[in-house]
Amino acid sequence: LAQAQKRTELALQRLSRQVGGLSDRLGGDLEDTAYIVIHDVLEREYGWKVEPLRRDYLRWNGHEVELDLIGRAHDPKHPDRVITILGETKFNLTLKDVRRFARKVERVRAALAGECFPVCFCYRARPEVREAVRELGFHLIFSYGHML
């Protein structure tokens, strides 16, 4: 019985590593999709020239914040306007995700020059999550290219 329990524990550890790897892979794939879709939506909806979007860290005054998505956009109608796109990507966006992202945006906003454009990217979001995004003044872009 003790040997069987040990084998079960080892199997669970292997399974846990495999599931973690799959989760990382899916998250990376989602971010890769987000970079392309968000870029296209912002150019289509606003006419902005969007620089390549990427996952990165912002560092300032001893602080560091990891962002799923960050990049710059330029508005041809307002050449002096500086727009920094900050993004959160989730398969299923939740209220907890939105609140966490809002805290992150608040910390980062002070370190940025120009305008901050927070955007959440997801495959799905419940109505109350969509409402929370709107109330914060953030933007929501779905994987199929629709923006709220």
Side-chain angles (χ1 to χ4, degrees):
L1 190 57
Q3 289 175 347
Q5 182 177 353
K6 184 67 173 167
R7 284 192 304 270
T8 300
E9 288 172 2
L10 290 173
L12 280 173
Q13 288 174 356
R14 284 193 303 272
L15 182 59
S16 177
R17 280 193 298 273
Q18 290 173 343
V19 169
L22 283 173
S23 177
D24 290 345
R25 173 61 193 228
L26 288 174
D29 288 350
L30 180 64
E31 289 170 5
D32 290 347
T33 301
Y35 304 147
I36 296 165
V37 173
I38 291 172
H39 182 278
D40 292 348
V41 168
L42 296 180
E43 285 191 349
R44 179 185 74 225
E45 295 293 323
Y46 296 115
W48 293 351
K49 300 300 175 201
V50 181
E51 295 177 5
L53 303 170
R54 67 195 183 286
R55 175 186 216 35
D56 208 348
Y57 293 84
L58 281 183
R59 294 178 177 97
W60 75 101
N61 297 335
H63 301 285
E64 180 178 87
V65 173
E66 182 180 13
L67 294 159
D68 290 348
L69 184 145
I70 187 169
R72 292 262 171 118
H74 306 279
D75 185 348
K77 296 174 190 166
H78 306 280
D80 296 335
R81 185 176 178 199
V82 177
I83 307 161
T84 301
I85 302 161
L86 303 174
E88 177 75 4
T89 62
K90 295 291 180 192
F91 184 84
N92 182 35
L93 189 67
T94 66
L95 283 172
K96 183 178 178 181
D97 297 326
V98 172
R99 291 178 185 129
R100 186 180 317 121
F101 182 54
R103 288 190 300 271
K104 193 179 283 191
V105 168
E106 195 57 39
R107 288 193 311 268
V108 169
R109 197 181 298 246
L112 297 174
E115 181 181 337
C116 179
F117 188 89
V119 60
C120 295
F121 178 86
C122 64
Y123 280 101
R124 68 176 166 249
R126 293 187 46 81
E128 63 271 15
V129 174
R130 296 174 188 197
E131 184 60 30
V133 170
R134 272 193 293 269
E135 286 175 2
L136 287 165
F138 293 1
H139 306 273
L140 180 60
I141 297 177
F142 289 95
S143 58
Y144 54 89
H146 179 72
M147 182 169 73
L148 292 180

